[in-house]
Amino acid sequence: TLSPGNLVELDFPRFKVESDAHAVAEEIVRIAPRRSTVYASIPIASLVSTFRRHPYPLLVRLEYSGFERIREHFGDMEMIRRRRVIFFLEGIDTHPSTPEFFAAQLESDRPAIVAYDGRVSTASQIGALLGNAGYIGEKRGPYMLWVRQ
């Protein structure tokens, strides 16, 4: 069973999550003010929530937004709002009105940190909006990490 012919390799265990996303999540947890809100794309947000003391991502996993108890607590309109913010961060929502919507949400929620994959199609728009809103950004591997000043 452990022969090279069976394509089996015996090696040390590897990281089960993407290391760049984990590093960004770890930094967010380290620098975010206690009980603050964070806008982060799902690969990062899902890791932020695994730390013992962590800030609050706007949305952790898209699958959770469909749970009846969560929808009862937040309401459908709030879940739609949260998904739209995250879809913009992930380059999914490219509607012409979305950048203006995103800017309004930044003003309303005032997240302490915003993190997303710098390779998404909306990355330059996101960066411009965050810069105009007073955030300072830095590249972390393929990700961008913006902190509110």
Side-chain angles (χ1 to χ4, degrees):
T1 59
L2 295 179
S3 72
N6 289 339
L7 302 176
V8 175
E9 293 180 27
L10 192 57
D11 202 351
F12 289 103
R14 294 185 184 103
F15 221 21
K16 293 183 181 182
V17 297
E18 189 213 331
S19 59
D20 286 330
H22 188 270
V24 171
E26 189 172 40
E27 185 169 357
I28 288 170
V29 170
R30 186 176 53 76
I31 66 174
R34 196 166 154 80
R35 302 186 57 82
S36 61
T37 299
V38 172
Y39 283 5
S41 56
I42 299 301
I44 299 168
S46 61
L47 294 172
V48 166
S49 64
T50 64
F51 288 84
R52 183 173 181 160
R53 289 192 175 101
H54 61 79
Y56 301 109
L58 189 66
L59 193 62
V60 177
R61 292 189 186 278
L62 292 174
E63 301 85 27
Y64 295 172
S65 66
F67 290 164
E68 189 64 32
R69 301 261 334 221
I70 291 175
R71 286 192 4 247
E72 285 175 9
H73 180 74
F74 286 120
D76 287 335
M77 293 308 292
E78 177 64 10
M79 293 312 300
I80 290 168
R81 180 188 82 84
R82 289 175 182 228
R83 280 193 301 258
R84 190 170 179 198
V85 168
I86 299 306
F87 284 171
F88 183 60
L89 283 179
E90 294 191 341
I92 297 167
D93 185 344
T94 58
H95 191 273
S97 68
T98 302
E100 185 177 330
F101 167 80
F102 184 77
Q105 300 315 298
L106 284 174
E107 183 65 31
S108 174
D109 290 336
R110 299 195 40 81
I113 297 172
V114 179
Y116 58 94
D117 189 324
R119 300 167 294 189
V120 298
S121 63
T122 53
S124 62
Q125 288 179 306
I126 296 167
L129 292 166
L130 290 168
N132 289 339
Y135 288 77
I136 304 297
E138 291 185 21
K139 192 162 177 50
R140 298 286 192 274
Y143 295 101
M144 291 300 299
L145 182 70
W146 293 77
V147 179
R148 188 178 71 217
Q149 298 302 305

